[in-house]
Amino acid sequence: MLINLPKMLVLSWNNMIFPPSDSSQHFRISTVSPSLWMTSSDINANYRTLNLSICHVSIQVATWRIDDVIVDGTSCSRILKIDKPGGQRVTVDILKAHGEIQRISEVVKAERKFWMVAIGDSFSSGQGNPDMEMENGKKAEWMDEPCYRSTKAFPYLISRHTPNSALSFLSCSGSTVENSIISKNGQLEHLQRLITAHGAPPDLLFLTIVLLDYYDVTKNDKGEVDGSCGAFGQVSLPNLQLADRKILQRLNSLLRRKAVEHRWITVDTTDIFRTRGICSSRSLIRSRNESLLLQGNEYGSFHPNEEAHRLIAERIVKTLEL
């Protein structure tokens, strides 16, 4: 029920690549976002991938060229990989009236992407929130089923919020610090391989500088520890209150002290869950029955629901001024 560190990594970067002020006769350029960098091959394939469009000028395109090499296709927008650090010349021939050809040609440079990495357990993977819910006997669908990674999880939501993004979504349900995070072939070793492929570490690695409080599942609408809904089984109210006082509050207090000591940025989510625990009428926590209904098993129980992940993502964006 409690979440093991490390919690997560997040990053931010600049907005879209804007065209020149006289853009009426130039390419409109945007990044393909978010890019998922899960393997070294992903980084090599997507690092400098751009979407180029000339549709605002004409949808009748004859040919595309990169450095005078013809590229297949006549769509007015193309996803192209710009391989050279100094940029490459992109040329497009547009069909005009009476068979005339208008040529637009310019050197296009790919801006370096800022890189976000998510490392952690079921909290940051999005457990309890399948991409497609189980329905009519069809099993639930996930971004990655073995790890219960979800596009509804806050790391993915933040990557969608941030243009020119690259996300390595390594969080995996069931992970602990000792098992699957710092262990051999764990998430940190995975990250090291990605760093090697990229040639540099993530731009902002918030595993050690951004820390979330442990979310509280025990509070009702009045902000009181409440087990009356039966979600905690045979655990008594006094024991729940003891766990809140002796474990959760002390743990979050420790995390905040360590954040000050190591100059981490702390993302405080206390108020989000203060009156919205599992026995609240406005719960942000998945119940056992909800988990069974949505994904066909109990594994999603006691995890933040879709609304909670959205609120957490918004809090991180606001805290970090993304």
Side-chain angles (χ1 to χ4, degrees):
M1 185 163 59
L2 295 179
I3 307 304
N4 294 288
L5 290 176
K7 285 305 186 67
M8 68 162 189
L9 312 168
V10 292
L11 64 83
S12 65
W13 44 86
N14 292 332
N15 292 328
M16 291 179 59
I17 304 169
F18 290 98
S21 56
D22 57 341
S23 61
S24 61
Q25 298 297 313
H26 290 267
F27 297 116
R28 288 182 175 172
I29 305 171
S30 61
T31 56
V32 181
S33 177
S35 295
L36 289 175
W37 288 2
M38 301 300 289
T39 67
S40 300
S41 297
D42 292 337
I43 294 176
N44 294 330
N46 298 318
Y47 182 42
R48 297 184 182 276
T49 302
L50 296 174
N51 181 32
L52 276 67
S53 174
I54 203 68
C55 301
H56 58 292
V57 177
S58 174
I59 61 172
Q60 301 294 324
V61 172
T63 57
W64 287 85
R65 292 182 176 84
I66 298 183
D67 290 341
D68 294 325
V69 176
I70 294 178
V71 180
D72 291 338
T74 58
S75 170
C76 61
S77 66
R78 295 297 307 270
I79 294 177
L80 300 174
K81 184 178 181 183
I82 307 301
D83 292 316
K84 298 179 181 178
Q88 292 178 266
R89 179 163 293 280
V90 178
T91 303
V92 61
D93 290 337
I94 299 172
L95 296 175
K96 307 293 286 187
H98 310 296
E100 297 177 356
I101 299 271
Q102 176 186 355
R103 175 164 291 181
I104 296 177
S105 182
E106 58 186 277
V107 175
V108 175
K109 297 181 180 180
E111 296 294 324
R112 185 180 64 85
K113 292 187 177 183
F114 246 58
W115 179 18
M116 171 172 25
V117 180
I119 283 182
D121 59 3
S122 55
F123 176 22
S124 53
S125 76
Q127 171 67 277
N129 302 282
D131 293 358
M132 295 292 293
E133 300 171 3
M134 186 177 70
E135 186 177 11
N136 298 325
K138 185 179 180 181
K139 64 184 297 186
E141 296 180 7
W142 299 84
M143 182 179 177
D144 179 87
E145 185 171 0
C147 283
Y148 291 94
R149 293 187 188 115
S150 172
T151 57
K152 299 175 182 178
F154 66 83
Y156 192 85
L157 296 178
I158 295 170
S159 74
R160 290 293 301 269
H161 167 83
T162 312
N164 197 24
S165 61
L167 171 65
S168 295
F169 198 176
L170 306 183
S171 303
C172 190
S173 183
S175 296
T176 64
V177 174
E178 295 82 7
N179 180 22
S180 299
I181 293 180
I182 65 172
S183 59
K184 183 175 178 59
N185 296 319
Q187 294 175 31
L188 290 183
E189 283 197 8
H190 189 164
L191 174 57
Q192 184 57 57
R193 291 192 293 271
L194 297 179
I195 291 172
T196 300
H198 184 244
D203 295 275
L204 293 178
L205 182 58
F206 287 95
L207 172 62
T208 52
I209 53 178
V210 169
L211 197 62
L212 266 76
D213 285 342
Y214 278 56
Y215 61 92
D216 188 350
V217 304
T218 66
K219 301 299 196 304
N220 62 18
D221 303 75
K222 298 179 180 179
E224 301 169 342
V225 176
D226 186 355
S228 63
C229 61
F232 298 98
Q234 300 301 313
V235 180
S236 67
L237 178 59
N239 281 338
L240 282 175
Q241 293 170 332
L242 181 66
D244 175 63
R245 186 171 62 256
K246 295 290 187 179
I247 300 176
L248 186 64
Q249 291 184 23
R250 286 187 177 183
L251 181 58
N252 282 334
S253 178
L254 173 63
L255 296 180
R256 294 187 188 104
R257 290 200 305 271
K258 291 299 181 181
V260 173
E261 179 181 342
H262 297 289
R263 297 183 179 181
W264 298 333
I265 299 172
T266 304
V267 179
D268 188 352
T269 62
T270 305
D271 62 307
I272 293 177
F273 295 95
R274 180 175 289 122
T275 61
R276 305 191 66 179
I278 199 165
C279 287
S280 168
S281 61
R282 302 179 302 118
S283 177
L284 291 174
I285 307 298
R286 284 274 179 249
S287 68
R288 176 179 180 273
N289 288 340
E290 287 176 329
S291 181
L292 289 170
L293 180 65
L294 295 177
Q295 61 188 67
N297 57 43
E298 302 178 359
Y299 303 153
S301 305
F302 292 98
H303 288 86
N305 63 19
E306 183 177 352
E307 181 183 0
H309 277 277
R310 179 179 57 79
L311 293 173
I312 291 168
E314 290 173 357
R315 177 62 52 83
I316 293 170
V317 168
K318 181 178 180 180
T319 300
L320 301 181
E321 299 181 350
L322 300 183

